[in-house]
Amino acid sequence: MTADQPAVSTGDATLDTRVLVIDDDPDARSTLAEALADAGCDVRTAADGVAALAVLAEHAPHCVLLDVQMPGLDGLALARRVREQHGHDVVLVAITGQSPREERVDATFQLVDHWFTKPVDIPALLKLLRAG
């Protein structure tokens, strides 16, 4: 799966939601993308914040799942850019393996609409997406 190709859904389409998954860990990225695609989401992925901005412009997702700690443009900087460019038209969901007490993690959590710690609770994430 690449940034310019949608994930293939193997399950029943239950969600009609465009989602962008950004994580520098390829396993975490693909696990989330596959679970979301299986739920019927139109999923695009990016391995870093810079690539995510390009996909965001082309894909116009309803929801962006972003890893907080990434090299280069990290989750905090990316969340700021998305808010500047799209306001609250895009639902931002932070994902992290770091402690919420860390300064950059906490600052990111202040900007996003929702957050999950890794490993992401997929049923809870799907419930969130279904709620709109």
Side-chain angles (χ1 to χ4, degrees):
M1 172 178 1
T2 64
D4 55 353
Q5 294 178 340
V8 176
S9 175
T10 59
D12 293 334
T14 57
L15 288 171
D16 184 21
T17 304
R18 291 183 309 275
V19 180
L20 172 57
V21 176
I22 308 134
D23 198 317
D24 60 317
D25 179 328
D27 291 333
R29 186 172 63 243
S30 66
T31 298
L32 278 173
E34 288 173 16
L36 292 168
D38 285 347
C41 294
D42 178 6
V43 182
R44 300 294 192 280
T45 63
D48 59 57
V50 173
L53 291 174
V55 176
L56 186 67
E58 294 176 15
H59 183 54
H62 300 111
C63 178
V64 173
L65 277 76
L66 55 93
D67 187 15
V68 173
Q69 186 160 340
M70 297 182 288
L73 189 67
D74 69 0
L76 176 58
L78 180 60
R80 286 179 176 151
R81 295 275 293 274
V82 172
R83 285 291 183 236
E84 288 169 6
Q85 295 174 5
H86 302 279
H88 288 274
D89 292 339
V90 175
V91 175
L92 292 178
V93 180
I95 52 177
T96 187
Q98 306 296 313
S99 168
R101 294 185 196 105
E102 292 187 29
E103 187 175 331
R104 288 195 72 78
V105 174
D106 182 57
T108 304
F109 287 177
Q110 300 303 315
L111 284 174
V112 300
D113 300 296
H114 309 279
W115 59 272
F116 289 90
T117 55
K118 291 181 180 180
V120 174
D121 181 341
I122 299 296
L125 175 60
L126 294 175
K127 182 178 178 181
L128 172 72
L129 292 174
R130 284 187 184 100

